[in-house]
Amino acid sequence: MQFRRRALLPAVLALAFAARIANLRGVFVNGDVVLYSIDAYYHLRLVWLTLLHFPHVPAFDHFLNHPEGGPVTWSAAFDLALAAVAWVAGGGSPDFHLVEVVAAWAPVVLGVITVAVVYLAGSEAFGEAAGILAACALALPPLHVYHVSAIGNADYHPVEILCLALGLWLLVRAERRPGAGAASFCAGAAFLLGLITWPGMIVPIGILGGAAAATVMGRWLRTPAEREGSALLRAGAVATLTAAAGFAPFAAMGARGPLGPLTYLQASWLQEIVLLGVAGACLAILVFDGRVRAAGRFPRRAAAGVLVGALVIAAALMAILPGLRASLHAALDYLLAVNPTVMPIRDSKPVTYWPLRVIAQEASLLLFVSPVLIGASLVAFFRGRSHDAALSFVAWTGLATLVLLACQFRRYGAYHLVPLGLLAGWAFSALRAAPSPRRRVAAWALVALLVPSLAGLRPTRSVNGHPDFAFVRDALEWMRYGTPSTRGLTDPLARPEYAVLAISDYGFWINVIGERANISSGFVITPAQVEGIRRSARVLLEEDESRAARMCVRWGARYVIVTPLWGYMHFLPLLVGRSVSEYGAVGERMRFRPPFFRMLDTRMLCTDGSAASDGVGGTLPPLQRFRLVYDSPDRLDWDVEDWGNPPPGFQEKRIAAVKIYEVVAGALLSGRTLPFHPVKVEVGVRSNIGRTFVWSIGGLSGPDGRFRFRVPYATGGRWRVGVTNSPDPYRVTCARREVLVRVDESVVREGRTVEVDCGQEKGLSPREGAPGDRGRGAEGRASP
């Protein structure tokens, strides 16, 4: 029987592997590697830079948050490991494609190893059958498959779950085999690996330490004279002290970084304080436990004194170390998604955000019996039906990770699957061994709850996980070859000449696919990162073109990427201190108000920057500091009736998926005609895909007959596929005469003036004003 159970393990691992490569054809497409998540692309940049400057992993990058640049708020271990694997696989000289392949396969390997470790933990704690069921509970649900360890999802999250599973297994092993002291040190090594991969690993480490402490304290309420859990608590103290000793050099280096000596975003003394605090708490409880066992009863007064002392120490640390308070506040803001910059991140949504159908599909139906399993295991431990400290330890771990899952379902849901699988394995073994037929049926019902997760094995051709990826990727590939290259591509300390402004979702794609610096990125925690996100939002929501252009110039943004922002309007206004309702109601049916049609992104996307209605009966002038340089061939269909009452110029049902505009100074067309006389300037523009439109501006001359208009497009040359330009000159209509004016590229970039000769200085002669002279006017002349 035992042999047959062990023979199931290869089958479970094969199933786990198959689930994680279901999107294989969506990752490896026509010789290209399309990674699954947004963050994976910046990991690619870090790995490539590490290979170029091996073994140094950049801690600061001028490609982030231009013009200041920004710190890399990820630890180095994951990227350094991928770089080392790519270096070995490439024989010491890997190319970028090999880096992409290694990054794509890394989460699959880590995910399958984690499933094997969970099997070992379940077998160690509750037997072989429990280990198999626990492995199945992690092998199939999409919470761990697609959101953590799917092929192409190259992020450090698989390492988090692996280190959690390793720590839990090794601590259980230390409890089961008190003489195996090496397990405690190995658990500390696992904690250290997690910390140098992601400093926030102090959260699961604290959970495991707290679960061990709760196991011992729970035993006091039951049978104080027993020793159950003491070995577990001792192992936890040794593990956290080992991790603290190994992490100290990293904390010392990180404390000198730009984020300060106490931050959970990078290695700092904060992690050391937490590790030493957990270790100290474990040791204090061990000492107190000796007194409890010696007295044979629970000394309530002494326990109250210890609790008060612990609270006083914690309060003193908070008072002495303001950075500790700030870090705790920032961590809670992130965990509870209070900060509007994390609102668009779907991983930050609480469990109540998701429909029950989604929860069942992604976490398996087993999640719905999780509270029952936790409660049953704790009742069994407290009532003495099970004197198993490992059971209590896993149950308390499951309860704490369930709270994390409730706060952020997709981000921390995979944490809970580890203890959930172990508890399901325990319940299965206990029920199956019971003589009652009903309990045996309940045991196999637990197994049946995992069956719907097999639906996750269906093959898919989906590319990436972001709805805008395919369109934006094509635009950024055009940008890589169609715009001037910059410094900083291979040297993160070199300041680029310019950057690209877009919503933060596209920031890492801009870095890697477009090979350009960004204004905002997927880093959303530090003040500099938040400021970059707000800068992008200010420009895209700005109604005054001149103000938007000045902001772009001040921040070094030469290009602006615009896409439909309908799905982002529930949080973008909040970033700039505005109300969402100001722009309309965003829900199943989008009902937008006039400010939505006046904002820069909407105008660029829907009107090509031409004159448009302001939504309240007025007219918005054309954009004079932004010119279209890329027009996506992909078109999106939108039901404009859902917009409410779109004004003229915004009623097109098919709009470009992506457009790129360049910020220019704009040439000034200046001339003289009759006073208060209408003047019109227009030019035909042909986009990179051959679509044509007319850009025009007009108005009345002044009391002295002078007029001056700013124009964004240069003229001349033959149109070429892939290039947006204006082959024909500007047509300036003044005093019933049409003058053709050519404008050079340098004039547009430098903002110089082009004098337009309207055929008069003091007045029009009958000959010059005759209709027959149309089209025979003088050429424009550029002047400084």
Side-chain angles (χ1 to χ4, degrees), residues 43 261 370 587 761:
H43 279 293
S370 176
E761 286 295 332

Side-chain angles (χ1 to χ4, degrees), residues 83 126 372 448 570 605 688 718:
F126 310 118
V372 176
H570 65 286
L605 198 64
N688 55 292
R718 298 182 59 185

